[in-house]
Amino acid sequence: MVMAVGKVTFSKVEREKLAEVLWLLNWISVVTGTILFGLGLFLRVEIHKWQEVMSEQGILYVPHMLITTGLAACCINFFGGKICLDCADTNKFLRWKLVMMPYIICTFFFTSCVLAGALMCYGIRSQMEESLFMGLRNAMRYYKDTDTPGRCNLKRTVDLLQIQFQCCGNTGYRDWFQIQWISSRYLDMSSSAVVDRMRSNVEGKYLMDGVPFSCCSTFSPWPCIQHHLSTSSTQDEQSQQLNLWRRGCRQALLDHYTGIMQSIGLTVLLIWLFELLVLTGVRYLQTAMENVLRLGDPESESDGWILENSLAETARSNFNIIKNLGKCYQVDDDPNINVPTAAAEEELPSQQVQVLVTS
């Protein structure tokens, strides 16, 4: 005999208490759904702040997932609270009997989405790092285009980023040496030094060993030195470290978002454990109440379980159901194909009679 998974026997009082506890837990789940929605909204706003220095918006699926899951949690658990409260009474349970299994299936998929959201928060770091690397590289390249539509705010964004996060460049301040970050409008083209520097570059860019003002450290005890940074005689190593921010902005933003993601991921994981507890309780209540109906005595004890059969038997049964559904679409195996119907057999003699009359 196959034993049920997680079998527990409930008395009438225990079933009523379980229903009341689940009613309370469902209302708490509405609050946790609101928290999920708030976390997703907060993450969406944080990403939106620096989306100009990100190469793609694919990472927005994480906050969108949390927002959608939070809204679903509020709706499902609000509905579930009503169901669980009514299930304490056998007569009221009859009204919800056909709804219980679809409700449990929806709750299961919703709980799976909560777990997926938690895992996404921990697994997005590599995608975030690549997005920041490409986005910062493009933002620095267009830093000088303050009069180009669509790029006019990039200079302000990059400067705010470097000041707020105390960083410089993509991976470091030397990244600025490889691009022209000064607009040609501000170059003195009558100067032979400027012309010679541009001619010395294959692409005709004005490259220099300098950085924007936003790379200057506010902790420096002397005026910031922005130019001729590669000249060793300009300043010693210690003064150079105090002069500019040493950390790259990619690492600074990555650490910032990683800290947020880990905190959100931990919170979502705890919410998932709580929702899993609620789902398990609802499943016990459903099976216990259905067994009461089978026994026909509302006062008697009844068994509740998570799975009626073992995991292997349940998987085999579901596989057979799916396989049988697939056979419904195999038209070639239908034995009724090409078999004359009764209506067709009745029409055939009448047609023969008409032919004999006309002949």
Side-chain angles (χ1 to χ4, degrees):
M1 180 180 179
V2 181
M3 298 296 292
V5 178
K7 183 177 179 182
V8 179
T9 302
F10 296 92
S11 64
K12 179 183 178 181
V13 177
E14 290 173 341
R15 290 193 299 268
E16 292 176 350
K17 289 183 178 180
L18 178 61
E20 293 173 358
V21 170
L22 288 174
W23 171 79
L24 178 61
L25 293 181
N26 271 281
W27 277 106
I28 296 176
S29 295
V30 174
V31 178
T32 59
T34 307
I35 294 175
L36 276 177
F37 177 81
L39 290 175
L41 198 61
F42 169 75
L43 184 58
R44 176 69 180 87
V45 172
E46 283 295 318
I47 293 177
H48 181 74
K49 285 181 181 179
W50 306 108
Q51 64 179 359
E52 288 185 280
V53 295
M54 297 182 187
S55 62
E56 58 184 22
Q57 301 303 316
I59 55 177
L60 288 176
Y61 67 84
V62 178
H64 290 167
M65 178 76 168
L66 295 177
I67 291 173
T68 305
T69 306
L71 291 175
C74 294
C75 298
I76 292 175
N77 290 302
F78 178 82
F79 181 65
K82 173 64 175 175
I83 293 178
C84 293
L85 187 62
D86 287 348
C87 285
D89 188 349
T90 307
N91 295 326
K92 292 183 179 180
F93 175 76
L94 291 172
R95 295 185 302 180
W96 299 107
K97 181 181 178 182
L98 297 178
V99 182
M100 284 295 290
M101 184 53 70
Y103 163 69
I104 290 177
I105 294 175
C106 291
T107 307
F108 174 77
F109 280 109
F110 149 71
T111 307
S112 302
C113 290
V114 175
L115 177 60
L119 296 178
M120 286 177 184
C121 291
Y122 288 103
I124 199 177
R125 179 182 172 88
S126 59
Q127 186 178 355
M128 176 74 74
E129 184 175 8
E130 182 180 359
S131 178
L132 288 172
F133 178 80
M134 300 294 293
L136 281 168
R137 186 180 65 178
N138 294 332
M140 292 173 61
R141 183 182 303 168
Y142 303 132
Y143 178 85
K144 66 181 185 302
D145 299 338
T146 54
D147 54 350
T148 303
R151 302 174 183 172
C152 53
N153 292 324
L154 274 177
K155 181 181 185 302
R156 176 179 177 273
T157 301
V158 173
D159 286 335
L160 286 176
L161 172 66
Q162 296 188 142
I163 293 173
Q164 180 174 337
F165 286 90
Q166 299 180 355
C167 59
C168 184
N170 195 335
T171 59
Y173 72 93
R174 291 184 178 273
D175 294 337
W176 289 106
F177 299 177
Q178 303 171 8
I179 62 172
Q180 179 182 340
W181 54 273
I182 298 179
S183 176
S184 300
R185 293 186 304 161
Y186 303 107
L187 297 177
D188 185 7
M189 302 306 297
S190 62
S191 172
S192 58
V194 174
V195 175
D196 292 341
R197 184 180 290 272
M198 296 182 69
R199 288 178 178 176
S200 63
N201 184 264
V202 177
E203 298 179 357
K205 296 181 179 180
Y206 184 79
L207 303 183
M208 56 185 296
D209 54 347
V211 296
F213 77 96
S214 53
C215 284
C216 294
S217 173
T218 55
F219 302 115
S220 177
W222 46 77
C224 179
I225 301 176
Q226 299 176 242
H227 306 288
H228 306 293
L229 297 175
S230 60
T231 305
S232 59
S233 60
T234 302
Q235 49 188 350
D236 56 25
E237 185 65 22
Q238 182 180 4
S239 62
Q240 190 179 44
Q241 291 181 0
L242 294 174
N243 182 58
L244 301 175
W245 303 121
R246 310 296 293 181
R247 185 172 60 161
C249 290
R250 177 181 56 128
Q251 189 62 43
L253 271 178
L254 185 62
D255 293 343
H256 171 70
Y257 283 119
T258 300
I260 293 176
M261 291 290 189
Q262 289 179 349
S263 300
I264 292 178
L266 178 60
T267 304
V268 176
L269 193 61
L270 294 175
I271 292 175
W272 172 73
L273 292 174
F274 180 78
E275 294 293 341
L276 191 62
L277 175 65
V278 176
L279 175 61
T280 305
V282 172
R283 176 59 175 168
Y284 273 119
L285 181 62
Q286 178 219 1
T287 52
M289 293 303 297
E290 287 183 350
N291 287 328
V292 168
L293 294 180
R294 292 192 185 102
L295 295 173
D297 183 8
E299 303 295 330
S300 63
E301 293 184 344
S302 62
D303 294 331
W305 50 69
I306 299 176
L307 295 176
E308 186 174 2
N309 300 314
S310 64
L311 291 173
E313 185 66 25
T314 303
R316 191 181 303 110
S317 175
N318 292 333
F319 177 76
N320 290 333
I321 293 174
I322 296 174
K323 186 168 64 174
N324 292 332
L325 288 175
K327 289 183 178 179
C328 295
Y329 296 96
Q330 297 178 0
V331 183
D332 296 337
D333 297 335
D334 191 349
N336 295 322
I337 292 179
N338 299 326
V339 176
T341 61
E345 293 176 354
E346 292 176 1
E347 293 176 2
L348 183 59
S350 62
Q351 293 175 356
Q352 293 177 352
V353 171
Q354 292 178 0
V355 171
L356 293 174
V357 172
T358 55
S359 61

